[in-house]
Amino acid sequence: MTATREEVLSTLKDLTDPISGSDIVSAGMVRALTVDGGTVRFVLEIDPARAGALEPVRAEAEARVKALAGVDTVSVVMTAHSAPTPPPDLKAGARPKPAGPEKVPGVDRIIAIASGKGGVGKSTVSANLATALAAEGRRVGLLDADVYGPSQPRMLGVSGRPASPDGKTILPLRNHGVTLMSLGLLTQEDEAVVWRGPMLMGALQQMLFQVQWGALDVLIVDLPPGTGDVQMTLAQKTHLDGAIIVSTPQDVALLDARKGIDMFNKLDVPIYGLIENMSTHICSNCGHEEHIFGHGGVAAEAEKLGVPLLAEVPLHLDIRMAADGGAPIVVSAPNSPQAQVFRDIARKLVAEGVA
């Protein structure tokens, strides 16, 4: 059994920064923590003047994590930082309102991953599709626009706060070949975002246009459920190239998925295809296959709309565990049948010239 991210952080919390007196996790020194099977990697970000004094802390951190059950290899790197400028206040909304849809600098294409309702696995699909496109050689960004429930930092194994050298431009973080920006990087994991619509819209536009995305072939946007302000803002303020709808097979999920499809149709955003998530479950003990949520509903809807059914993604424990561990199944088990489903979606999008 492999160690979990929580176990690693709990172990590191026992180590104290000799200067501040706080544990190294609370002090914000632990960055870019990833748990990939039996391999654990993280960075200790320190003041360069304290490198010598903190070497024993680094060595102790490595030893303690390596002693955890299921950990085979530990990589701990100390990296120096200059006194960082805090990231910009996304509540300020200082950016002037654009006259119409804008192109995000450096980004060739934007694809929204949407669903009509929550709980259908849209964020898991987004993380795996982003890493699958990166594995296909594409330059990929992922914007976690699910502002009330940002989960991409956990799924991609990204921790720490983005830097902002001038207090206006945000430098995103990166892992598994994917450049990530999420409100979850600017708040605590258990901190609620209690913002009204206008504040959210300002934050979304800042995360789109004030982030140094660099040169990207495709920016994947993980949308919140439903057909609200975030979806409208994205479609109206940016050049959104297309959308992919994620749904589970049962009728209740499809009812809401149809609303999402109708919204994009009204906004003149092409639907690239549908993904049926949690399509089937195969028992790990006996091999029996069972369609827990029904089967074929999403395929029928895709045929009705005249758009592709991009994939039927199984309900599998490994997909969930990989996401919770910060290394999506495409990264942690790239040759598994579950990872190949996402790789096939990525290849289809690349072949169609839309990603």
Side-chain angles (χ1 to χ4, degrees):
M1 183 175 179
T2 59
T4 65
R5 181 185 177 86
E6 288 74 17
E7 288 173 334
V8 173
L9 288 173
S10 177
T11 296
L12 294 175
K13 281 185 178 180
D14 292 336
L15 291 174
T16 302
D17 175 7
I19 301 299
S20 69
S22 301
D23 67 84
I24 62 174
V25 175
S26 300
M29 295 168 61
V30 179
R31 303 294 181 94
L33 171 63
T34 62
V35 180
D36 184 1
T39 301
V40 177
R41 303 182 185 88
F42 60 93
V43 169
L44 290 180
E45 189 171 85
I46 63 167
D47 184 331
R50 299 175 55 203
L54 288 171
E55 171 57 28
V57 176
R58 186 208 66 79
E60 180 66 14
E62 181 176 339
R64 291 196 181 199
V65 174
K66 195 166 186 178
L68 290 174
V71 175
D72 302 318
T73 306
V74 180
S75 173
V76 186
V77 177
M78 285 200 299
T79 181
H81 68 85
S82 54
T85 305
D89 183 1
L90 292 182
K91 300 178 184 179
R95 188 175 182 274
K97 294 181 179 179
E102 291 183 277
K103 194 81 173 174
V104 177
V107 177
D108 288 344
R109 304 174 190 87
I110 300 179
I111 300 176
I113 310 297
S115 66
K117 67 186 277 88
V120 299
K122 168 186 51 61
S123 293
T124 301
V125 169
S126 297
N128 278 285
L129 180 56
T131 51
L133 285 167
E136 294 300 311
R138 311 307 286 165
R139 297 169 298 177
V140 184
L142 176 56
L143 171 59
D144 187 357
D146 193 351
V147 287
Y148 289 123
S151 54
Q152 293 301 344
R154 166 64 68 89
M155 290 187 175
L156 288 181
V158 175
S159 58
R161 293 171 68 86
S164 179
D166 57 4
K168 297 178 181 179
T169 304
I170 307 170
L171 303 181
L173 302 182
R174 184 175 173 82
N175 201 18
H176 306 312
V178 176
T179 301
L180 173 68
M181 184 59 207
S182 169
L183 195 63
L185 297 172
L186 304 175
T187 60
Q188 297 297 321
E189 205 169 40
D190 56 355
E191 180 182 352
V193 176
V194 188
W195 290 356
R196 294 189 183 274
M199 197 175 292
L200 289 174
M201 299 315 99
L204 176 63
Q205 291 188 67
Q206 285 182 279
M207 288 195 294
L208 278 166
F209 296 104
Q210 291 180 227
V211 169
Q212 287 191 6
W213 289 108
L216 297 181
D217 295 311
V218 60
L219 175 63
I220 301 294
V221 182
D222 179 14
L223 288 172
T227 56
D229 287 340
V230 172
Q231 290 85 346
M232 294 282 289
T233 297
L234 180 68
Q236 293 176 341
K237 302 299 183 184
T238 67
H239 287 282
L240 180 58
D241 293 273
I244 294 172
I245 307 296
V246 180
S247 179
T248 47
Q250 75 266 39
D251 291 341
V252 172
L254 281 167
L255 284 173
D256 290 331
R258 292 185 189 110
K259 296 174 185 176
I261 292 167
D262 183 59
M263 177 195 68
F264 285 117
N265 287 335
K266 289 177 177 176
L267 295 170
D268 295 322
V269 176
I271 303 294
Y272 287 155
L274 276 59
I275 293 175
E276 183 173 277
N277 196 29
M278 308 181 201
S279 176
T280 185
H281 175 256
I282 299 175
C283 178
S284 57
N285 290 324
C286 68
H288 172 68
E289 181 177 7
E290 186 170 11
H291 298 287
I292 298 174
F293 298 111
H295 186 65
V298 179
E301 193 67 25
E303 184 176 1
K304 176 182 173 183
L305 293 169
V307 299
L309 175 66
L310 293 174
E312 294 178 335
V313 181
L315 176 64
H316 199 280
L317 179 63
D318 288 349
I319 297 177
R320 193 275 298 172
M321 292 183 65
D324 284 350
I329 194 75
V330 170
V331 175
S332 59
N335 296 320
S336 66
Q338 296 77 33
Q340 289 305 312
V341 173
F342 294 107
R343 294 291 296 269
D344 288 343
I345 301 172
R347 292 182 185 115
K348 289 176 185 177
L349 296 177
V350 172
E352 292 292 326
V354 298

